[in-house]
């Protein structure tokens, strides 16, 4: 089921006061993200990449170590792109406690707008910001390896055990100047459960990127089908 994140009435009527500690609210949103249960054994299936009229297909296996192996795809760039999608999704499904991830940070509330309430990070992650709406993280603004990535989540998939981002945008920029590094990318992700009990995994990702400088706009479709659990 796909839903647009909405804050519960209680939060809409009583927004978090700017400047106040909002650790509890941010923790609730963090812990509402869907993650895999311990003992994840991996899965396998068919994979394909499509851009315009060109389609390349093969098979893949993602192990318990979250490493992807692909067969039947000779193009190194496409091979890397498919493996990257599998790894990027999998790494975000690893369950880490709030203390493990954010124990060295503090969180205070900023303003509240249509996207949600701003969460200003202090401590180890100072300079990072988030926005939350209800129990959903609707914006991420993080410094990663000398680059700032800003992600806006527009809709989510409710797994019954937490949410997954369904449609969202991503932009990379220079931390010093704020200048964009490439065009904005729009992602549309479709997740499916491997069995009635899960785990939920990616079955399709559509990436549409805006033109930027000499780089033209593009649209790529990654599909993962005939999925079966390992182990």
């Amino acid at each position: 089921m796909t839903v647009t994140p909405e804050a519960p009435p209680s939060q809409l009527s009583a927004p978090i006061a700017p400047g106040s500690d909002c650790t509890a609210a941010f923790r609730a949103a963090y812990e509402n993200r869907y993650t895999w249960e311990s003992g994840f054994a991996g899965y396998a299936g068919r994979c394909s990449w499509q851009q315009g009229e060109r389609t390349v297909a093969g098979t893949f296996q993602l192990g318990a170590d979250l490493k992807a192996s692909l067969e039947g795809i000779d193009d190194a760039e496409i091979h890397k792109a498919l493996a990257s999608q599998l790894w990027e999704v999998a790494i975000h499904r690893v369950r880490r406690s709030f203390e493990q991830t954010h124990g060295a940070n503090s969180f205070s509330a900023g303003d509240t707008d249509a996207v949600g309430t701003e969460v200003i990070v202090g401590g180890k992650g100072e300079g990072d910001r988030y926005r939350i709406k209800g129990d959903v993280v609707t914006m991420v603004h993080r410094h990663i390896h000398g680059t700032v990535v800003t992600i806006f989540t527009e809709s989510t998939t409710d797994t019954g055990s937490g949410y997954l981002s369904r449609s969202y945008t991503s932009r990379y920029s220079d931390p010093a100047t704020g200048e964009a590094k490439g065009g904005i990318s729009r992602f549309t992700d479709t997740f499916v459960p491997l069995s009635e009990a899960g785990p939920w995994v990616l079955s399709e990702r559509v990436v549409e990127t805006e033109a930027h400088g000499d780089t033209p706009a593009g649209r790529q479709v990654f599909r993962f089908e005939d999925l079966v659990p390992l182990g």
Side-chain angles (χ1 to χ4, degrees):
M1 178 178 67
T2 301
V3 297
T4 299
E6 295 181 353
S10 59
Q11 183 157 332
L12 286 172
S13 58
I16 303 170
S20 63
D21 184 294
C22 61
T23 303
F26 182 64
R27 179 177 187 142
Y30 175 88
E31 293 180 345
N32 189 36
R33 299 170 311 116
Y34 174 77
T35 54
W36 287 330
E37 298 282 352
S38 59
F40 171 76
Y43 64 105
R46 294 190 301 112
C47 59
S48 66
W49 169 92
Q50 180 182 346
Q51 187 172 50
E53 298 298 316
R54 187 184 180 197
T55 299
V56 177
T59 59
F60 79 93
Q61 180 170 306
L62 182 80
D65 59 1
L66 308 186
K67 292 182 179 178
S69 60
L70 283 70
E71 294 184 356
I73 298 177
D74 297 326
D75 187 302
E77 197 168 320
I78 296 173
H79 186 287
K80 181 180 178 181
L82 279 160
S84 293
Q85 308 311 312
L86 290 164
W87 179 85
E88 189 272 333
V89 170
I91 203 70
H92 284 92
R93 302 287 77 77
V94 175
R95 187 167 299 179
R96 300 181 75 226
S97 71
F98 186 77
E99 287 75 18
Q100 283 177 299
T101 304
H102 290 295
N105 294 331
S106 62
F107 305 94
S108 58
D111 67 332
T112 297
D113 62 12
V115 177
T117 298
E118 183 181 34
V119 177
I120 302 168
V121 182
K124 184 178 180 180
E126 185 171 358
D128 293 349
R129 294 182 288 111
Y130 299 88
R131 284 190 185 270
I132 56 175
K133 195 171 188 180
D135 288 341
V136 172
V137 178
T138 51
M139 190 275 284
V140 174
H141 182 85
R142 289 190 61 205
H143 294 69
I144 302 175
H145 305 309
T147 298
V148 172
V149 60
T150 305
I151 299 168
F152 286 93
T153 295
E154 299 169 346
S155 67
T156 62
T157 297
D158 182 4
T159 69
S161 301
Y163 76 90
L164 289 159
S165 294
R166 162 69 176 165
S167 59
Y168 52 99
T169 61
S170 175
R171 176 174 64 89
Y172 290 92
S173 57
D174 185 287
T177 65
E179 183 179 352
K181 293 184 175 181
I184 294 174
S185 294
R186 176 174 295 277
F187 294 76
T188 305
D189 289 354
T190 302
F191 289 89
V192 296
L194 285 180
S195 66
E196 285 189 16
W200 287 68
V201 297
L202 184 70
S203 65
E204 182 183 84
R205 167 170 284 176
V206 180
V207 186
E208 298 170 287
T209 304
E210 295 179 353
H212 181 81
D214 296 330
T215 304
R219 184 178 189 270
Q220 300 178 78
V221 181
F222 301 89
R223 292 190 178 95
F224 305 94
E225 303 170 301
D226 298 337
L227 304 173
V228 293
L230 300 176

